[in-house]
Amino acid sequence: MAKGEGSYLYDTEGRRYVDFCAGIATCCLGHCNPIVVDALCKQAHELMHCSNLYGIPQQDKLAELIVNDIIGIPGRVFFCNSGAEANDGIIKVARRFGHRRPAADGSPRYEIITFLKSFHGRTLGSMAATGQKKIQIEFDPMLIGFKYVDFNDLEALAAAITKETCGIMLEAVQGEGGVNPVQPEFLRGVAELCRKHDLLLMLDEVQCGFCRCGETMGWKAICPDIKPDLVSCAKGIAGGFPMGCFWVSNRAINEEGTELSSIMNAGSHGSTFGGTPIACATSYAVVSELVKGHYAARAAAMGEIIKTTVEAWKLPCVEGVRGLGLLRGVGLRKGSFAVPEGMTPAAYVNSLCMKAGLLACPAGPDTLRLIPALNIPEETLREGLDILRGVLEKLA
Ligand SMILES: *Cc1c(COP(=O)(O)O)cnc(C)c1O
């Protein structure tokens, strides 16, 4: 690829593609959006990086915006560079919480329950948290302290909690694992189990957050009344600039009123590049545009177009459209078309789309994921869907 413009990408040969991949759900305002480019360039001329030894106003401003307008629950934010780092951060907070709130016999709690088909990243911590064997092959032994349970199975989850458990971690909509939204009653049940057993409710909003699913955060599109303790963010947070963060609630963890967010004190975590002036200024421009421009509502409306359009084709190879807002998965019916050896159906269809001028991406073996920019014009959305239709009709 050589050049981007809105929801189009151009390769080195000058071929144009409709982009339903958007840098894997990162370029939420399209490619080379002047709002993003101007913020980035302006900050580059002033100060790019100075380390976290000094306070910078860009970080304070952005943290305030994220706490007030995105998360909406009092808390603090730590800035890092990626989703995996954000998840490692919340895993560290959960482990420290397990020390401050030990088991009845005084031993620290350390175990975190996550879910099958989840994806949390590629670092040693976030990979261990990921409930997919294929991500872990030949990197074992894994970091200890993770247990995987079937997604949306409350009984199995309740049975998995032990005296070592300190947290439950999940995506509101599993992205990489096949675009599987959490059921509202399940999410409510998770929150109740957390309260009952003094566990942290840890949400990985890396892919489903920042307006992608039709609300500012993915969980709010499903079950807005729950209150997470820890939230990890990245992907769309800075419109394609590398950036991540995790949010920690200010809620009290004991009778003395110790705030959860205070258990990570200066020196307990850090990042040389986390939250640089240039990353924060860029992210601030993106997030304030997302909020001001009501992009969450727009994502919901555009996502409906994807769902109703694709389902109206009534193609035998399509098994429905899952997901919320502009995080959509087209289910590909097993055995309904021939797939070249060594390829998954999703990877095969994705490669055909690319040849036809549409960029998407697989999510698991049988799901084609559509995650365009949140500001994709309706016309471009329909242009991309027409290409998809051509590809799927030929298959069928
Ligand atoms: C992409 C993703 C990650 C990892 O983010 P990186 O920036 O690639 O480290 C973690 N969790 C979820 C849900 C993701 O989609």
Side-chain angles (χ1 to χ4, degrees):
M1 295 302 164
K3 195 175 126 64
E5 196 175 53
S7 280
Y8 293 109
L9 271 188
Y10 299 84
D11 69 15
T12 47
E13 258 98 71
R15 268 201 78 192
R16 191 176 86 161
Y17 302 85
V18 175
D19 189 6
F20 280 9
C21 176
I24 315 187
T26 60
C27 307
C28 55
L29 293 175
H31 299 289
C32 304
N33 187 315
I35 294 171
V36 186
V37 175
D38 290 351
L40 194 137
C41 291
K42 184 163 171 274
Q43 189 58 48
H45 283 290
E46 271 165 34
L47 179 66
M48 207 181 299
H49 177 56
C50 62
S51 89
N52 285 324
L53 297 172
Y54 319 106
I56 53 165
Q58 293 83 3
Q59 222 180 76
D60 298 348
K61 243 176 83 173
L62 177 61
E64 212 170 291
L65 180 66
I66 290 172
V67 170
N68 294 337
D69 291 358
I70 297 290
I71 305 276
I73 308 168
R76 292 167 140 203
V77 178
F78 179 90
F79 291 102
C80 54
N81 306 282
S82 69
E85 269 184 54
N87 283 329
D88 277 358
I90 63 174
I91 291 165
K92 283 178 72 174
V93 179
R95 285 198 167 188
R96 180 158 278 192
F97 170 78
H99 278 259
R100 301 293 172 88
R101 304 282 296 169
D105 64 4
S107 57
R109 298 184 292 161
Y110 62 92
E111 193 176 73
I112 297 170
I113 301 175
T114 72
F115 295 90
L116 292 169
K117 296 189 181 171
S118 62
F119 182 78
H120 299 299
R122 304 278 188 170
T123 57
L124 291 169
S126 60
M127 171 177 65
T130 295
Q132 296 188 59
K133 266 277 161 278
K134 70 166 194 205
I135 304 289
Q136 303 174 342
I137 288 171
E138 292 188 293
F139 299 121
D140 49 296
M142 286 294 116
L143 178 70
I144 63 159
F146 293 93
K147 199 188 250 174
Y148 320 111
V149 170
D150 272 329
F151 201 45
N152 286 322
D153 185 342
L154 203 57
E155 231 168 87
L157 175 62
I161 297 169
T162 67
K163 71 179 186 48
E164 273 88 40
T165 312
C166 64
I168 301 173
M169 177 167 174
L170 71 157
E171 298 154 83
V173 181
Q174 288 185 333
E176 305 296 317
V179 191
N180 311 309
V182 70
Q183 288 162 3
E185 59 277 22
F186 179 77
L187 187 51
R188 207 165 287 123
V190 175
E192 263 157 39
L193 284 172
C194 285
R195 234 183 343 260
K196 183 169 156 205
H197 296 279
D198 190 23
L199 314 174
L200 296 183
L201 176 52
M202 308 162 71
L203 295 184
D204 178 344
E205 289 273 346
V206 168
Q207 185 157 168
C208 58
F210 284 85
C211 303
R212 181 151 291 277
C213 287
E215 288 288 342
T216 51
M217 286 275 120
W219 92 78
K220 294 186 189 187
I222 293 166
C223 193
D225 48 313
I226 62 143
K227 283 203 161 55
D229 297 305
L230 301 169
V231 178
S232 57
C233 308
K235 290 211 163 89
I237 190 173
F241 196 82
M243 167 78 151
C245 79
F246 61 90
W247 168 91
V248 186
S249 171
N250 283 347
R251 84 159 164 90
I253 58 164
N254 54 23
E255 267 95 70
E256 294 84 67
T258 306
E259 291 181 344
L260 179 62
S261 60
S262 75
I263 69 174
M264 295 295 273
N265 51 337
S268 59
H269 194 53
S271 167
T272 298
F273 278 129
T276 58
I278 197 163
C280 288
T282 308
S283 176
Y284 187 85
V286 170
V287 178
S288 41
E289 174 63 14
L290 289 178
V291 172
K292 269 191 306 198
H294 307 288
Y295 280 99
R298 192 171 189 284
M302 292 296 123
E304 263 322 288
I305 294 180
I306 294 181
K307 185 178 165 63
T308 51
T309 305
V310 175
E311 287 183 347
W313 299 336
K314 297 201 186 318
L315 291 170
C317 61
V318 172
E319 204 165 43
V321 179
R322 295 190 300 276
L324 290 166
L326 284 176
L327 173 49
R328 293 287 173 170
V330 178
L332 301 168
R333 185 167 283 120
K334 267 197 191 71
S336 65
F337 54 94
V339 178
E341 208 166 298
M343 268 184 129
T344 64
Y348 176 53
V349 172
N350 190 50
S351 72
L352 296 176
C353 286
M354 187 164 171
K355 278 191 203 118
L358 172 68
L359 305 172
C361 60
D366 306 304
T367 305
L368 185 72
R369 188 169 23 152
L370 312 179
I371 38 178
L374 307 184
N375 67 346
I376 185 169
E378 187 177 329
E379 204 188 321
T380 317
L381 188 75
R382 293 191 186 278
E383 184 187 351
L385 289 173
D386 282 346
I387 299 173
L388 179 62
R389 180 179 191 166
V391 167
L392 293 176
E393 273 177 350
K394 234 181 257 164
L395 272 184

